[in-house]
Amino acid sequence: MALPSLTLLGQSLLSGIFIGALYGLLGLGLSLSWGMLRQINLAHFALAFLGAYLTYQLAGAGMDPLATLAVIVPCFFALGALMHWLLARFSVSAFNSLLVTFGLTAIIEALIQWIWTADFRRMESAYGEVKFRVGALYVALPELLTLAMALALSLAVWAWLRHTHTGKAMRAIAEDAPIAAAFGVNVRRLSLLLSGLSAAFAGVAGLALALSYTLAPGQIYAWLGVVFAAVMLGGLGNPLGPLVAGIVIGVSEALTMAFTTPAWAPLVSFSLLIVVLLARPGRI
Amino acid sequence: MPAANQSVRAVFGALLALALAAHPALAAPSGPPVRIGSTLALTGPLAATGLVHKIVGEIYVEQLNRKNGLLGRPVEWVLKDDQSRPDLARTLYEQLITVDKVDLIMGPYATANILSAMGVAQRYNKVLIHHTFGTPSLAKYEMQFPAGGLAGDPDNTIPRLVFDALAASAMPPKSVAVVTSKFPSVHFISLGAREAAKKRGLREVAFLEWDFGNRDFGPIAARLKDAKPDFVWVGGLGLEGNLLIDAMRKIDYMPPLHFHLFPAPGPLLKAPGGENALAATTFEEHPPFTDNPIAVEFIRLYHERGAKAGLPDTSVENQSAISFSSWQTLEAAVTGAKSIDDKAIAQWLRKNPVDAIVGRLRWDGPFNYIYGTDLYKVKQNQQGKWVVIWPKEFAASGAHLVTP
């Protein structure tokens, strides 16, 4: 086996970091709702794609893709809060939330198909054409934006949970909701807040998808496996976990593709997951 | 004399009505409908192409009923959504035959679903005409009839066609990279491309395989940039070719020539970097394909319906053309056999070719496949339009392989 050139290695490394950032961005909301609210929200992927289609639509109407966040984020926040209110209203358990949100995914997929058809949609934007050269390596602006958004959101949520009263109360709810409530924490209000935030993060991930990918409703499911792996590897409810684990998976997949046959790349992410689960079964 | 005029008109009218009734081609269909059952991937990952086949089927059935239907009877198309799932396709075909009691069945879209439908057709001795079965070696049923123009050995015919086109160009490539999805119906054709390249003395500088559903094409693009091939064979399905092109553009690289086996033609046509991309096809919207008035009328209707259905690309190309040809095959077989009996239809198809818009279809080989020849051509994205460039007799006027 011939050794890959340094340029190939560097470019693959960058590619892995960028795709890992997207895994992390997609996994952030999922990890928070799963780890802190005990809701396994499969509809998170459908919301991300709905966000991507809305970005495509608004950008097509002349809006700057980044400016679409001003519309999408508040709408998705409200949608996420509403979803949580419904799940709480009917006391849906963690396992049942998996089934209910799977149903919601199918509904959102059908809605997307009804509005935009099943055909492929590609957002044309000035960002897509911009790339920077760093020595022999290239960095595309959409990927750089994805990394920046993933880093900013993950760090902001981490800081919020660690350094603010609301964040600490949120962690208390995740630890033991009845005890937290006994200490005066408004569990219902904070749960709605966190669900809204998780859905808003899906909307932001949608922007990242629309910037870099051609969209089709059926692709909602293509991200499920690897993002779940990133969320579980990163630790449920840990805001930095999905990003770190996503980058670890992305880089290991990219290096596998650079060194060996690219078909072996998926083996890496799931082998990593198995190793972590075996070595640290209490991780999730 | 108004009274005399009226009686002349009445006699003329009666004669015209009799003439219309006596001429089957002009009479309206009557009697119980001929019910044709099929499933299509109207939702799920294959839905983008499933929609194309739905529009084509609707156009064809409407046109049939505007003429005299099938054997003078109206045609009813019973269409169900298989959700892109082979297991569901199997159940639904079973249902179409046993519950809906359709007279005839038509194939679904894509290899796995067709294979499922084929099993059911075999169990009930039904003829199955289909258009998009990518692995002919798996079709072991005597009453299945492929109408997509693919040979029984596409791993031989398609690479030969592509490398012939390249060899006839002004600058034939000397090195090749074969990159391919491991999806069954494209993988074996890509392996055929490796063999063909080797036989022609082309130097293989890279052979890379990925799993279907791969999301990160960055490292594959970087390896291609490192290998510097003159020509890249992309054994991709749907959007995979676009993802690879995107990844190559991001690192400021495009190979001089790249061929895409079964791309999503609309997105590839519009993709930045898709200029000069090559692909396989059976039909494009230019002469000699449009010398056929049936094709011209179909193109007009498809543009109209496609726009109404919200398709971003309404041009007739491979998928829509092979779909139309499969309906032409069914109509010709029922008309030729003068029956809707499955055995009679199968017998007729084995003995008679059908002149469809994609060319002459025939089924006189093993398991109704023809070996060593097919109806495929090579097309190139030239200035935002797909044009056939090889074989020469099918090339658009003045079109030839453009090399950067």
Side-chain angles (χ1 to χ4, degrees), chain A residues 5 8 11-12 15 19 23 109 113 117-122 129 131 138 140 143 213-214 218-219 222-223 226 254 257-258 260-263 266, chain B residues 42-45 47-48 182 208-211 214-216 218-220 222-223 225-226 239 243 246 249-252 264 267 272 309-312:
Chain A
S5 68
L8 169 58
Q11 199 67 61
S12 300
S15 183
I19 191 89
Y23 297 158
E109 185 192 0
Q113 190 168 325
T117 79
D119 220 320
F120 304 111
R121 304 279 163 173
R122 171 87 202 204
E129 294 302 305
K131 55 178 175 275
Y138 288 86
E143 272 81 352
Y213 290 87
T214 301
Q219 285 172 351
W223 297 85
V226 72
M257 286 200 242
T260 66
T261 178
Chain B
L42 300 178
T43 53
K182 287 180 88 177
L208 304 171
E209 298 161 296
W210 64 81
D211 261 340
N214 179 43
R215 292 159 301 271
D216 185 12
I220 297 172
R223 282 180 79 168
K225 189 178 183 181
D226 241 26
L239 282 179
L243 290 169
D246 281 348
R249 287 186 74 242
K250 279 172 188 164
I251 55 170
D252 213 22
L311 292 186

Side-chain angles (χ1 to χ4, degrees), chain A residues 55 58 63-76 203-204 207:
Chain A
T55 309
L58 293 170
M63 225 171 155
D64 184 282
L66 292 181
T68 63
L69 288 178
V71 179
I72 291 169
V73 166
C75 290
F76 274 50
V204 178
L207 166 68

Side-chain angles (χ1 to χ4, degrees), chain B residues 48 59 141 183 190 230 253 288 344 404:
Chain B
I59 290 173
Y141 173 45
F183 195 80
S190 296
D230 295 335
Y253 168 72

